[in-house]
Amino acid sequence: MKIRKILSLFLMLCLLAGCGAQPAAQETTHADDAVVIALDVNSEPAAGFDPAYGWGAGEHVHEPLVQSTLTVTNPDLTIGYDLATGYTVSEDGLTWTVTIRDDVKFTDGEPLTASDVAFTYNTVKEQSTVSDFTMLDSAEAIDDTTVQFHMNQAFSIWPYTMAVVGILPEHAYDSATYGANPIGSGRYMLKQWDRGQQVILEANPDYYGEAPKMKTVTILFMEEDAAFLAAQAGQVDVSYTSATYADQTVSGYSLEAYQTVDNRGLNLPATPRTTDAQGRTVGNDLTADVRVRRAINLGIDRQEMIDNVLAGHGTPAYSVCDQMPWYSDASEVSYDPEAAMQLLDEAGWTMGADGVREKDGVKAEMTVLYASDDSVRQALAADFANQMAELGISVQIEGVGWDTAYDRALSEPLVWGWGAHTPMELYNIYHTREGSDTALYSPYSNPTVDKYMDEALASDDLETAYALWQKAQWDGTTGVTQDGDIPWVWLVNVDHLYWVRDGLQIAEQKIHPHGHGWSLVNNVDAWTWSK
């Protein structure tokens, strides 16, 4: 592994500096309108730059850069316009009418019309394996500047979907070749893609908006160790990193931290242990008691986790949507181990001589799972286990692969990573699956919570929908927060860390979603070098 990382770094440095008989000296100069950025190897889009195959969407949502989108998310995560000039929705929520600009051209000179928009959405609905488009029936061009979306169901947060779908050219789209040779109308054009190594973007000279200040953007895909060495060698202007390197210094660079909703949390199976029709173990007798779940939530010292696991680079997490417009501050709790122990006492879990609580001859024990290739989740699981021991709950931790993690999480808590610029994250975690009596990722169901989320989706107004999403979290009587069912507990939001070369001004960042990658460069066109 180390050899591969060193070779990866060597290739990258050769690519940037040229390989000759003498080793390259540390790079200290840069063009005033160019930037070189090292991102994680997983940031490279496997299927290329095709929105129909996940570019810009999926788990790590970001702006597609080489394509335009109808809408955008503003820094406060409300909705703004890109191609769109306005939209309306019918009273039943089943027809969205969107008007678009008439001055936009693709990079091959052809005009972008509503027909391209309709083609894009119909193509994505048919082909996408990354995004869920079951809510869309079809898209239709009414005229050159008007497109209608016909929905299978009301979906109030459709503007958030429109913010991540890059528009394809109907006249020049071939699913077999487009990903590697995209024609778009966005701020940048793909100049070069060396698979496994780098992507070079060039500013689109015919872009309809403000001209990008950064004319050339080079993205290198590097392992974390190699990315750090590249910063030390001065061969990149920005390099992603993690808390592992937070205590280091790099000459000529500062360590910048960007807030996120990239959270880590634990599901707490909310039903008693049983076996489902597929023979899987479902539920957990310890966490089935809401008083135990509430005690666990109160007994987590989140700041201690941030300090000891994340080297101070994080924020406490209380929900899957902290700081989003649809967040309810009823989610927030204070660390209170005494109240936690009182709840466990009330639930009948009495402290044993060995420091582990018991009830009816059963020990308060559980296993917490984490992805075996994720050192941060492992450290969070270990820290959680130590904190629970103080309450009298014995926690064993176990690394697992994702091939078994989903099934095992139906009965055992798992350290998850979530966080997106859409309320659908709440829906996907807490809503009862159709045709089932439980949510998808962990056994839990509350008809009132379901009702609020269904009403939120059916609303014809985003502000009204936000309030309904908040009620699903807590309405004064029930919900998914501490005074409600608390079927998940949230630990930390992980800051995204980058080494940034002195003199580079990175534009204001939105709160980053889950995934340490392209979100940083959403607005790379607005970055500048100080004179």
Side-chain angles (χ1 to χ4, degrees), residues 264 266 299-313 379-388 490-492:
R264 301 293 179 268
L266 295 165
I300 298 170
D301 187 344
R302 292 164 172 83
Q303 190 59 50
E304 187 273 342
M305 288 183 169
I306 292 166
D307 294 340
N308 291 332
V309 176
L310 302 180
H313 296 292
L380 288 170
D383 197 307
F384 175 80
N386 291 336
Q387 294 193 25
M388 290 301 102
W490 303 97
L491 307 176
V492 296

Side-chain angles (χ1 to χ4, degrees), residues 409-473:
L410 297 175
S411 61
E412 298 168 293
L414 172 68
V415 182
W416 298 82
W418 298 96
H421 292 167
T422 168
M424 279 305 288
E425 202 87 326
L426 278 166
Y427 187 98
N428 292 333
I429 290 173
Y430 294 112
H431 197 282
T432 307
R433 284 178 297 152
E434 186 174 355
S436 168
D437 60 358
T438 183
L440 177 60
Y441 298 106
S442 186
Y444 168 70
S445 182
N446 182 325
T448 302
V449 170
D450 290 347
K451 176 175 174 287
Y452 285 131
M453 291 195 282
D454 291 337
E455 289 176 353
L457 287 181
S459 172
D460 61 0
D461 175 71
L462 269 179
E463 292 295 328
T464 302
Y466 291 159
L468 289 164
W469 292 113
Q470 290 164 352
K471 282 190 171 183
Q473 293 162 74

Side-chain angles (χ1 to χ4, degrees), residues 313-325:
H313 296 292
T315 57
Y318 302 106
S319 79
V320 74
C321 56
D322 292 354
Q323 305 181 75
M324 301 291 100

Side-chain angles (χ1 to χ4, degrees), residues 104-239:
V104 179
K105 292 183 178 181
F106 289 104
T107 52
D108 64 356
E110 291 295 315
L112 186 156
T113 70
S115 180
D116 297 295
V117 176
F119 169 79
T120 296
Y121 278 81
N122 290 327
T123 299
V124 171
K125 173 181 171 56
E126 179 182 341
Q127 297 185 6
S128 179
T129 58
V130 175
S131 300
D132 178 10
F133 280 86
T134 55
M135 78 294 289
L136 177 66
D137 177 39
S138 64
E140 174 189 10
I142 304 303
D143 56 38
D144 281 352
T145 59
T146 309
V147 62
Q148 279 191 342
F149 298 103
H150 305 288
M151 314 301 285
N152 289 316
Q153 64 191 67
F155 197 69
S156 66
I157 56 175
W158 183 244
Y160 286 94
T161 299
M162 294 193 291
V164 297
V165 178
I167 303 306
L168 301 167
E170 183 177 14
H171 65 278
Y173 180 73
D174 181 333
S175 61
T177 60
Y178 182 86
N181 300 282
I183 294 171
S185 58
R187 290 160 278 172
Y188 289 94
M189 305 179 294
L190 179 64
K191 177 184 180 182
Q192 183 175 330
W193 180 18
D194 302 306
R195 288 181 183 268
Q197 296 182 351
Q198 68 171 354
V199 163
I200 301 176
L201 304 175
E202 275 196 349
N204 177 1
D206 298 319
Y207 179 57
Y208 50 89
E210 184 176 347
K213 295 180 175 64
M214 287 295 174
K215 303 302 183 187
T216 304
V217 178
T218 302
I219 307 290
L220 308 179
F221 304 112
M222 306 183 80
E223 300 279 0
E224 186 176 308
D225 291 350
F228 178 68
L229 293 174
Q232 284 189 316
Q235 297 292 344
V236 295
D237 301 311
V238 180
S239 176

Side-chain angles (χ1 to χ4, degrees), residues 51-78:
Y53 292 95
W55 169 241
E59 185 177 273
H60 306 161
V61 171
H62 56 84
E63 295 176 18
L65 292 178
V66 295
Q67 293 97 8
S68 304
T69 55
L70 292 175
T71 60
V72 294
T73 49
N74 297 318
D76 64 355
L77 277 304
T78 55

